[in-house]
Amino acid sequence: MTLTVVNPATEEPIAELPRAGEDETNEAVARAKAAFPAWRDLAPQDRSRLLRTLAGLVEEHAEELTRIESENVGKPIAGARGEVGMVAQVFHFYAGAVDKHGGETIPVAGGVAATFREALGVVGLIVPWNFPLNIASWKLGPALACGNTVVLKPAELTPLSALRLAELALEAEIPEGVVNVVVGPGSVVGARLIEHPDVAKIGFTGSTEVGRDVMRGAAGQIKRVTLELGGKSANVVFEDADLDKAAAAAPYAVFDNAGQDCCARSRILVQRGAYDRFVELLIEATGSVKVGDPSDEATEMGPLISAQHRETVASFVNGEPLFRGEAPEGPGYWFPCTLVQASNDDRVAREEVFGPVAAVIPFKDEAEAIRIANDTPYGLSGSIWTRDGARALRVARALETGVLSVNSNSSVRVQTPFGGFKQSGFGRELGMEALDGYAEVKTVFLSTEA
Ligand code: NAD
């Protein structure tokens, strides 16, 4: 059985790979299990050095990885280059974190209590197709730094960069069996990782729907899980904001990666007093997003991932939108930047579109903005635009969401924790927080009685 990998900008096949099943998954888990004791027991400075070597190799091969990611996902080449740059930073960060994630000593009667961070063992990492290498690195970095070995399952649509990364890990002299990549369907390879008794934890990024299956599957063995799931984030624009700046930035907060971004601020909430002016500016800014050939350095938005996904995205646009941009004709799963006026009860404002469609929703005052922004089962990301610092902080504290930015739409950084509230999942990636998801805390009491 094989799997054909397609370039979504041309609909041309770019690779033919063997499709793994249960046997290959079991073999990968066995390799990871065999490699675990030596990797866990490696001196911290050596584990750190190997992760740093991998970071260096990612930098050395940055253009190659960028091209792979751009062709496989249809990402604009400039954006893909930035993502690969982040992958290198992630490995540098966790190389430095290996010997900084320690325990503590706790004052107790009759002796000393100390805590240790123990590696979990073999961890299964299941990732989606929208940021294949980036999201894989967010999990690989902390998992490997803590001394775990891994089986990584990329999405079937986008396995190429993970396979190349596994080769670079070997070139970095990370021992065989520490990083394993298995390419196959989620319902087979993913499901087997979840039920396999030798897999201690599942680090999952994907849809909330599959996240529920992961949680259910993990319950049998009380397997550890962290879940990074969907989002329906709000970009809240108050009338005292720098409207030019907010409007110029808003398209990139939702149309970046063709809207296939869990952090997409796909609900743009605008205070009534500024609504008309903001919408005028937003339409102008959206009209200048450059959509087209992902290999062109000037391109800002590429196609969607597949024909099927394009159909789903199209189903969210009924009637005449506020604005519809341009998109290339011909082969490729193109969809134009689209703005629709909506109420928060409309389907386009409630469900994750995962495409370049933004719902623009008016609000009256601060209380209503908070109510609408929180009126969603999700809670991943969001932005607040205002010149009033106290309001910015007040609203930031009131929003039920894991990652926020004020007068900016940027919320993902290597050094800072990232993850969701509510049905956007639990657990945190990136920063020092991510390490907590890949180690158990062990408490040891040592009696000092004579
Ligand atoms: P998906 O849930 O369909 O698939 C994610 C991964 O899970 C894939 O590797 C898939 O093969 C696997 N999978 C599918 N069914 C499975 C099963 N039954 N058991 C085990 N594994 C299974 O998601 P997708 O369509 O690849 O990605 C889009 C979704 O991911 C969106 O909802 C998006 O919001 C979410 N996402 C979240 C974040 C975040 O950090 N919160 C980041 C990126 C994407």
Side-chain angles (χ1 to χ4, degrees), residues 302-328:
L304 293 169
I305 192 70
S306 66
Q308 192 194 349
H309 187 51
R310 181 170 55 186
E311 254 177 60
T312 310
V313 172
S315 76
F316 282 91
V317 186
N318 306 307
E320 210 32 50
L322 264 179
F323 176 78
R324 181 185 281 123
E326 308 266 317

Side-chain angles (χ1 to χ4, degrees), residues 126-130 153 204-207 228-230 262 352 354:
I126 302 176
V127 298
W129 45 259
N130 58 340
K153 194 209 93 58
F204 175 82
T205 297
S207 60
E228 295 293 343
L229 309 176
C262 52
E352 187 178 41
F354 225 55

Side-chain angles (χ1 to χ4, degrees), residues 143-425:
L144 296 174
C146 287
N148 305 284
T149 55
V150 306
V151 179
L152 168 66
K153 194 209 93 58
E156 294 145 88
L157 294 169
T158 58
L160 300 181
S161 53
L163 289 168
R164 186 66 187 113
L165 186 72
E167 290 172 357
L168 293 179
L170 284 179
E171 203 177 315
E173 295 185 7
I174 292 177
E176 203 135 344
V178 172
V179 177
N180 305 272
V181 176
V182 184
V183 179
S187 56
V188 180
V189 176
R192 180 63 190 139
L193 286 174
I194 294 164
E195 70 179 22
H196 200 300
D198 290 335
V199 174
K201 182 228 161 99
I202 297 289
F204 175 82
T205 297
S207 60
T208 296
E209 196 186 344
V210 176
R212 278 192 196 95
D213 290 340
V214 174
M215 232 175 140
R216 256 192 298 270
Q221 296 160 33
I222 317 291
K223 191 163 289 187
R224 276 78 185 119
V225 286
T226 42
L227 301 175
E228 295 293 343
L229 309 176
K232 192 73 206 173
S233 300
N235 184 359
V236 184
V237 182
F238 286 96
E239 56 196 22
D240 70 344
D242 180 336
L243 294 184
D244 291 301
K245 207 171 158 195
Y252 300 96
V254 55
F255 304 131
D256 195 32
N257 213 39
Q260 303 165 124
D261 182 344
C262 52
C263 286
R265 276 76 164 163
S266 54
R267 291 184 299 151
I268 305 176
L269 276 50
V270 188
Q271 195 164 12
R272 283 192 192 282
Y275 188 84
D276 291 343
R277 177 69 186 137
F278 181 83
V279 167
E280 205 179 299
L281 291 167
L282 177 65
I283 288 175
E284 194 185 313
T286 304
S288 54
V289 174
K290 294 182 194 68
V291 185
D293 179 3
S295 67
D296 183 335
E297 292 287 343
T299 295
E300 293 175 313
M301 191 176 102
L304 293 169
I305 192 70
S306 66
Q308 192 194 349
H309 187 51
R310 181 170 55 186
E311 254 177 60
T312 310
V313 172
S315 76
F316 282 91
V317 186
N318 306 307
E320 210 32 50
L322 264 179
F323 176 78
R324 181 185 281 123
E326 308 266 317
E329 304 274 325
Y333 310 121
W334 303 98
F335 198 90
C337 294
T338 308
L339 299 169
V340 297
Q341 185 159 9
S343 97
N344 202 52
D345 296 326
D346 295 333
R347 178 170 168 248
V348 69
R350 301 219 65 82
E351 295 178 21
E352 187 178 41
V353 179
F354 225 55
V357 181
V360 189
I361 305 170
F363 69 85
K364 189 171 81 213
D365 54 17
E366 186 177 314
E368 193 180 38
I370 292 168
R371 185 187 60 71
I372 296 174
N374 286 340
D375 180 17
T376 166
Y378 297 110
L380 188 56
S381 189
S383 303
I384 301 158
W385 294 81
T386 175
R387 286 194 170 95
D388 179 340
R391 162 179 279 166
L393 205 49
R394 217 165 39 234
V395 177
R397 296 300 303 274
L399 294 187
E400 297 157 352
T401 184
V403 198
L404 270 167
S405 36
V406 175
N407 296 331
S408 156
N409 296 318
S410 119
S411 53
V412 180
R413 289 182 177 73
V414 174
Q415 305 85 347
T416 57
F418 172 81
F421 280 26
K422 305 197 287 189
Q423 292 186 31
S424 288

